Amino acid sequence: MSGGHAKGKVLDIKVADIKAASPTFHHQAIKLSEALTTLITALDGYGEPWGDDKPGKQFGNKYKPNQKHIERAAGILVLGLTSIHEAMQDMADGHVDNDELIAGMFTKVKHPGSGHGDRHGKGGHR
């Protein structure tokens, strides 16, 4: 997602990259859903608009038996795109939370009365 590879790094994902890419899946899910709705309503509304000439009959013979499978598959793709969008949002949010948690683990804690952040909680030397 970010350019270049640092030596030894396999995956370098930036939260900003995830958040920037996520809406694309949402928008494409909406577009595909609209296209599917248009396909279903238009063809159902027109009956069999492909005609009864040879190419029309060939199309109808292939399309009609598979129509419900095509519609179902497109519906699954819409759900898949929506799921990817939601997962990327969750991953970005979780990545930020995880970074904050890890940063907190490595922050020195000042112990009461010590005035220092040493690991023994005593004001003096080790």
Side-chain angles (χ1 to χ4, degrees):
M1 302 208 109
S2 63
H5 295 286
K7 187 175 182 173
K9 278 195 173 183
V10 176
L11 189 60
D12 186 21
I13 299 174
K14 306 279 188 247
V15 173
D17 293 339
I18 296 170
K19 287 187 175 193
S22 175
T24 301
F25 291 93
H26 177 69
H27 296 306
Q28 296 307 320
I30 291 170
K31 286 183 178 182
L32 182 57
S33 179
E34 291 169 349
L36 177 60
T37 300
T38 300
L39 174 70
I40 292 169
T41 57
L43 289 181
D44 285 349
Y46 293 132
E48 296 180 2
W50 41 83
D52 61 354
D53 59 353
K54 185 176 178 180
K57 287 180 182 178
Q58 288 174 337
F59 175 82
N61 289 338
K62 298 282 185 186
Y63 178 74
K64 280 305 262 184
N66 296 304
Q67 180 179 1
K68 294 301 175 195
H69 296 293
I70 293 167
E71 292 169 1
R72 194 169 321 131
I76 290 169
L77 289 173
V78 170
L79 293 175
L81 290 170
T82 301
S83 295
I84 291 169
H85 162 71
E86 292 172 356
M88 289 180 84
Q89 289 294 108
D90 290 346
M91 183 171 40
D93 293 342
H95 190 69
V96 170
D97 292 343
N98 191 45
D99 283 352
E100 291 171 359
L101 177 65
I102 291 170
M105 291 175 165
F106 294 101
T107 302
K108 288 187 176 183
V109 177
K110 290 190 177 191
H111 296 280
S114 73
H116 297 286
D118 73 336
R119 63 183 193 155
H120 299 288
K122 299 176 185 163
H125 296 355
R126 288 189 248 174

